[in-house]
mmCIF file with all atom_site columns, all heavy atoms in Angstrom:
data_model
loop_
_atom_site.group_PDB
_atom_site.id
_atom_site.type_symbol
_atom_site.label_atom_id
_atom_site.label_alt_id
_atom_site.label_comp_id
_atom_site.label_asym_id
_atom_site.label_entity_id
_atom_site.label_seq_id
_atom_site.pdbx_PDB_ins_code
_atom_site.Cartn_x
_atom_site.Cartn_y
_atom_site.Cartn_z
_atom_site.occupancy
_atom_site.B_iso_or_equiv
_atom_site.pdbx_formal_charge
_atom_site.auth_seq_id
_atom_site.auth_comp_id
_atom_site.auth_asym_id
_atom_site.auth_atom_id
_atom_site.pdbx_PDB_model_num
ATOM 1  N N   . VAL A 1 45  ? 87.315  94.277  77.147  1.00 97.00 ? 1301 VAL A N   1
ATOM 2  C CA  . VAL A 1 45  ? 87.731  94.958  75.895  1.00 97.00 ? 1301 VAL A CA  1
ATOM 3  C C   . VAL A 1 45  ? 88.428  96.290  76.318  1.00 97.00 ? 1301 VAL A C   1
ATOM 4  O O   . VAL A 1 45  ? 87.973  96.918  77.225  1.00 97.00 ? 1301 VAL A O   1
ATOM 5  C CB  . VAL A 1 45  ? 86.534  95.277  74.940  1.00 97.00 ? 1301 VAL A CB  1
ATOM 6  C CG1 . VAL A 1 45  ? 85.387  95.947  75.730  1.00 97.00 ? 1301 VAL A CG1 1
ATOM 7  C CG2 . VAL A 1 45  ? 86.928  95.945  73.700  1.00 97.00 ? 1301 VAL A CG2 1
ATOM 8  N N   . CYS A 1 81  ? 94.565  84.440  67.512  1.00 96.00 ? 1337 CYS A N   1
ATOM 9  C CA  . CYS A 1 81  ? 95.027  85.918  67.709  1.00 96.00 ? 1337 CYS A CA  1
ATOM 10 C C   . CYS A 1 81  ? 96.423  86.005  67.174  1.00 96.00 ? 1337 CYS A C   1
ATOM 11 O O   . CYS A 1 81  ? 97.165  86.628  67.781  1.00 96.00 ? 1337 CYS A O   1
ATOM 12 C CB  . CYS A 1 81  ? 94.958  86.426  69.121  1.00 96.00 ? 1337 CYS A CB  1
ATOM 13 S SG  . CYS A 1 81  ? 95.357  85.249  70.398  1.00 96.00 ? 1337 CYS A SG  1
ATOM 14 N N   . VAL A 1 93  ? 97.019  83.449  81.914  1.00 97.00 ? 1349 VAL A N   1
ATOM 15 C CA  . VAL A 1 93  ? 97.427  83.524  80.485  1.00 97.00 ? 1349 VAL A CA  1
ATOM 16 C C   . VAL A 1 93  ? 96.475  84.486  79.887  1.00 97.00 ? 1349 VAL A C   1
ATOM 17 O O   . VAL A 1 93  ? 95.205  84.417  80.221  1.00 97.00 ? 1349 VAL A O   1
ATOM 18 C CB  . VAL A 1 93  ? 97.332  82.212  79.716  1.00 97.00 ? 1349 VAL A CB  1
ATOM 19 C CG1 . VAL A 1 93  ? 97.844  82.318  78.332  1.00 97.00 ? 1349 VAL A CG1 1
ATOM 20 C CG2 . VAL A 1 93  ? 98.097  81.191  80.499  1.00 97.00 ? 1349 VAL A CG2 1
ATOM 21 N N   . CYS A 1 174 ? 106.897 79.245  103.327 1.00 91.00 ? 1430 CYS A N   1
ATOM 22 C CA  . CYS A 1 174 ? 107.646 79.548  104.427 1.00 91.00 ? 1430 CYS A CA  1
ATOM 23 C C   . CYS A 1 174 ? 107.609 80.965  104.572 1.00 91.00 ? 1430 CYS A C   1
ATOM 24 O O   . CYS A 1 174 ? 107.312 81.800  103.712 1.00 91.00 ? 1430 CYS A O   1
ATOM 25 C CB  . CYS A 1 174 ? 109.052 78.828  104.432 1.00 91.00 ? 1430 CYS A CB  1
ATOM 26 S SG  . CYS A 1 174 ? 110.272 79.749  103.565 1.00 91.00 ? 1430 CYS A SG  1
ATOM 27 N N   . PRO A 1 217 ? 116.881 86.685  113.766 1.00 89.00 ? 1473 PRO A N   1
ATOM 28 C CA  . PRO A 1 217 ? 116.185 88.018  114.095 1.00 89.00 ? 1473 PRO A CA  1
ATOM 29 C C   . PRO A 1 217 ? 115.925 88.110  115.688 1.00 89.00 ? 1473 PRO A C   1
ATOM 30 O O   . PRO A 1 217 ? 115.731 89.309  116.092 1.00 89.00 ? 1473 PRO A O   1
ATOM 31 C CB  . PRO A 1 217 ? 114.817 87.988  113.357 1.00 89.00 ? 1473 PRO A CB  1
ATOM 32 C CG  . PRO A 1 217 ? 114.582 86.584  113.221 1.00 89.00 ? 1473 PRO A CG  1
ATOM 33 C CD  . PRO A 1 217 ? 115.850 85.860  113.026 1.00 89.00 ? 1473 PRO A CD  1
ATOM 34 N N   . SER A 1 263 ? 99.325  78.564  108.336 1.00 96.00 ? 1519 SER A N   1
ATOM 35 C CA  . SER A 1 263 ? 98.509  79.546  109.066 1.00 96.00 ? 1519 SER A CA  1
ATOM 36 C C   . SER A 1 263 ? 97.724  80.349  108.043 1.00 96.00 ? 1519 SER A C   1
ATOM 37 O O   . SER A 1 263 ? 98.044  80.449  106.842 1.00 96.00 ? 1519 SER A O   1
ATOM 38 C CB  . SER A 1 263 ? 99.429  80.478  109.876 1.00 96.00 ? 1519 SER A CB  1
ATOM 39 O OG  . SER A 1 263 ? 100.435 80.939  109.046 1.00 96.00 ? 1519 SER A OG  1
ATOM 40 N N   . LYS A 1 340 ? 96.180  83.932  122.293 1.00 90.00 ? 1596 LYS A N   1
ATOM 41 C CA  . LYS A 1 340 ? 97.284  84.744  122.640 1.00 90.00 ? 1596 LYS A CA  1
ATOM 42 C C   . LYS A 1 340 ? 98.174  84.971  121.413 1.00 90.00 ? 1596 LYS A C   1
ATOM 43 O O   . LYS A 1 340 ? 98.908  85.886  121.343 1.00 90.00 ? 1596 LYS A O   1
ATOM 44 C CB  . LYS A 1 340 ? 98.050  84.141  123.814 1.00 90.00 ? 1596 LYS A CB  1
ATOM 45 C CG  . LYS A 1 340 ? 98.677  82.787  123.430 1.00 90.00 ? 1596 LYS A CG  1
ATOM 46 C CD  . LYS A 1 340 ? 99.441  82.271  124.671 1.00 90.00 ? 1596 LYS A CD  1
ATOM 47 C CE  . LYS A 1 340 ? 100.076 80.900  124.359 1.00 90.00 ? 1596 LYS A CE  1
ATOM 48 N NZ  . LYS A 1 340 ? 100.713 80.217  125.491 1.00 90.00 ? 1596 LYS A NZ  1
ATOM 49 N N   . GLU A 1 350 ? 103.789 97.425  119.721 1.00 61.00 ? 1606 GLU A N   1
ATOM 50 C CA  . GLU A 1 350 ? 103.113 98.617  120.127 1.00 61.00 ? 1606 GLU A CA  1
ATOM 51 C C   . GLU A 1 350 ? 102.125 99.163  119.198 1.00 61.00 ? 1606 GLU A C   1
ATOM 52 O O   . GLU A 1 350 ? 101.187 99.859  119.552 1.00 61.00 ? 1606 GLU A O   1
ATOM 53 C CB  . GLU A 1 350 ? 104.099 99.732  120.703 1.00 61.00 ? 1606 GLU A CB  1
ATOM 54 C CG  . GLU A 1 350 ? 104.963 100.344 119.508 1.00 61.00 ? 1606 GLU A CG  1
ATOM 55 C CD  . GLU A 1 350 ? 106.154 99.407  119.145 1.00 61.00 ? 1606 GLU A CD  1
ATOM 56 O OE1 . GLU A 1 350 ? 106.258 98.292  119.355 1.00 61.00 ? 1606 GLU A OE1 1
ATOM 57 O OE2 . GLU A 1 350 ? 106.983 100.108 118.373 1.00 61.00 ? 1606 GLU A OE2 1
#
Side-chain angles (χ1 to χ4, degrees):
Chain A
V1301 56
C1337 43
V1349 184
C1430 84
S1519 52
K1596 63 179 178 183
E1606 71 277 16

